[in-house]
Amino acid sequence: MAPVEVPSLDSIPYESPAVRPARDDLVQEKYVLYGKLVRDRIPEIIRADGSEPEVYVADPAEYRQRLRAKLAEEVAEYMAADETDAPEELADVLEVAFALAADLGVDPAQLEKIRASKAKERGGFSERIVWTGNR
């Protein structure tokens, strides 16, 4: 899959440098300058490939900011995906949503309960209803 242009993240308040959109040959350089939140096993995978990753553990505030940026990144990747890649990209969005929920003290079961309650009260999106205003 080709690299995806991530929407501007300038609207997210950052207290520390964050991941910025990058293109092909600039990806490595951008991540060296700003860092990137990665899945927990990525350092292990990099080591298995014979390299030594440079990593640190984000403090709670930076972690939340980077999760928000990661959500924007993953949604952009989903939006650019074809039908073959879309389910995998949605799984990535869901993984980040679960991490954001956990950061707020909400486990997956609680999150599902909230979702189900909203669906019961207001409905879901399965009927494909588009609202255009009131008369």
Side-chain angles (χ1 to χ4, degrees), residues 82-130:
D82 60 23
E83 287 189 25
T84 302
D85 294 329
E88 186 172 322
E89 298 303 337
L90 276 176
D92 290 342
V93 170
L94 193 55
E95 187 71 34
V96 176
F98 284 156
L100 283 161
D103 188 57
L104 296 171
V106 177
D107 67 34
Q110 291 172 298
L111 189 62
E112 172 55 22
K113 206 172 188 179
I114 294 166
R115 187 212 59 78
S117 174
K118 289 184 80 167
K120 183 177 180 182
E121 180 183 326
R122 300 173 76 86
F125 295 98
S126 62
E127 295 180 21
R128 303 188 307 257
I129 297 170
V130 177

